[in-house]
C-alpha cells in the first residue's frame, strides 16, 4: 500500500497500529472522492489534549482541547478545480504534490469518545480521520444542510471500510 500521509506523533507515544488505520482510511477517502492520492500531501499529527488545546488557542482563539482539528490549504471550489486539472494532466504520478492540509487528532480524546459512544477505538479514530479529510476537502457543518451532506460522505466512507458503530 502506498503512503498517503505523513504521520507525526507529537507529545504522545508512537503506535504502529494507528499508522495502518490512517493509511487504510485516507486511501479509501481518496478513492471514494476519485482523487489520485499521490497528487496531494496530507500531514496527520497525533497528539494529546494539552497540545491540541494550545494549537486550538493559537489558530482558532479557542482555549480548550478538542478531538480533531483540520487546516485545509484550499477553498472547496479552488480544490475542485485543482483536482479536475490534475485528473486531466499527463504529469507523472508522484512528481508534483499540492498540500491538501493538516489533520491533528487527540488520541486520548479518541479513546475517551470511543468509550462514551460504546464503539471501538478503530471506529472513532477512523471517523476523526474521515471527518478531518472532508474538512480538508472543503466541507463543513455550520448549517444543518452542510452537516447532513458532510455526514453522508463520512458514513459512506466508513461503510465502504466496513467500520460500523
Amino acid at each position: 500500500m502506498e503512503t498517503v500521509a505523513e504521520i507525526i506523533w507529537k507529545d504522545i507515544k508512537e503506535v504502529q497500529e494507528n499508522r495502518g488505520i490512517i493509511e487504510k482510511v485516507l486511501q479509501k477517502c481518496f478513492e471514494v472522492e476519485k482523487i489520485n492520492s499521490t497528487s496531494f500531501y496530507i500531514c496527520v499529527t497525533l497528539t494529546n489534549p494539552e497540545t491540541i488545546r494550545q494549537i486550538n488557542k493559537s489558530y482558532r482563539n479557542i482555549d480548550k482541547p478538542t478531538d480533531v482539528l483540520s487546516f485545509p490549504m484550499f477553498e472547496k471550489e479552488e480544490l475542485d478545480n485543482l483536482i479536475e486539472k490534475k485528473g486531466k494532466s499527463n504529469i507523472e504520478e508522484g512528481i508534483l504534490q499540492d498540500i491538501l492540509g493538516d489533520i491533528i487528532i487527540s488520541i486520548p480524546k479518541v479513546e475517551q469518545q470511543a468509550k462514551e459512544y460504546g464503539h471501538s477505538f478503530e471506529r472513532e479514530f477512523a471517523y476523526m480521520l474521515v471527518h478531518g479529510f472532508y474538512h480538508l476537502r472543503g466541507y463543513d457543518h455550520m448549517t444543518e444542510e452542510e452537516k447532513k451532506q458532510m455526514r453522508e460522505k463520512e458514513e459512506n466512507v466508513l461503510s465502504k471500510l466496513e467500520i460500523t458503530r
Side-chain angles (χ1 to χ4, degrees):
M1 183 184 293
E2 66 190 39
T3 301
V4 297
E6 177 181 5
I7 303 166
I8 297 170
W9 281 265
K10 182 164 177 53
D11 304 321
I12 196 164
K13 182 179 175 238
E14 188 171 322
V15 177
Q16 284 307 308
E17 291 83 26
N18 290 349
R19 180 181 301 279
I21 295 170
I22 293 167
E23 293 292 334
K24 174 177 74 173
V25 170
L26 292 181
Q27 186 62 49
K28 185 58 72 176
C29 288
F30 279 113
E31 182 184 305
V32 166
E33 287 296 309
K34 297 177 176 56
I35 301 171
N36 180 347
S37 63
T38 61
S39 297
F40 292 95
Y41 168 87
I42 295 178
C43 180
V44 176
T45 301
L46 306 179
T47 193
N48 62 36
E50 179 54 28
T51 301
I52 208 166
R53 183 196 67 77
Q54 291 169 357
I55 295 166
N56 206 16
K57 182 179 180 186
S58 293
Y59 291 95
R60 299 180 64 229
N61 206 26
I62 299 172
D63 190 9
K64 68 177 194 172
T66 189
D67 49 10
V68 61
L69 291 171
S70 300
F71 295 98
M73 289 301 293
F74 300 99
E75 296 292 326
K76 185 169 183 342
E77 296 75 29
E78 208 178 3
L79 185 57
D80 288 343
N81 291 335
L82 185 60
I83 290 167
E84 183 179 342
K85 184 175 128 186
K86 281 184 175 281
K88 292 179 179 175
S89 76
N90 291 324
I91 297 171
E92 187 178 329
E93 275 189 24
I95 299 295
L96 296 174
Q97 278 191 311
D98 282 296
I99 298 171
L100 197 55
D102 293 270
I103 300 171
I104 303 166
I105 298 174
S106 171
I107 293 299
K109 187 73 170 167
V110 170
E111 291 167 342
Q112 174 194 345
Q113 288 177 176
K115 286 178 188 159
E116 279 177 29
Y117 301 141
H119 52 246
S120 70
F121 171 83
E122 181 187 28
R123 198 277 179 207
E124 187 65 17
F125 188 37
Y127 176 76
M128 290 298 127
L129 289 161
V130 174
H131 186 80
F133 176 87
Y134 278 107
H135 275 305
L136 298 185
R137 189 63 188 85
Y139 291 90
D140 212 336
H141 43 83
M142 299 303 282
T143 67
E144 280 305 312
E145 183 57 35
E146 288 174 337
K147 184 177 181 177
K148 181 178 182 278
Q149 184 182 30
M150 189 170 175
R151 199 59 32 93
E152 285 173 3
K153 288 188 163 291
E154 293 164 347
E155 291 301 327
N156 180 43
V157 171
L158 293 171
S159 70
K160 289 186 182 308
L161 287 165
E162 298 180 359
I163 299 174
T164 57
R165 294 176 190 261

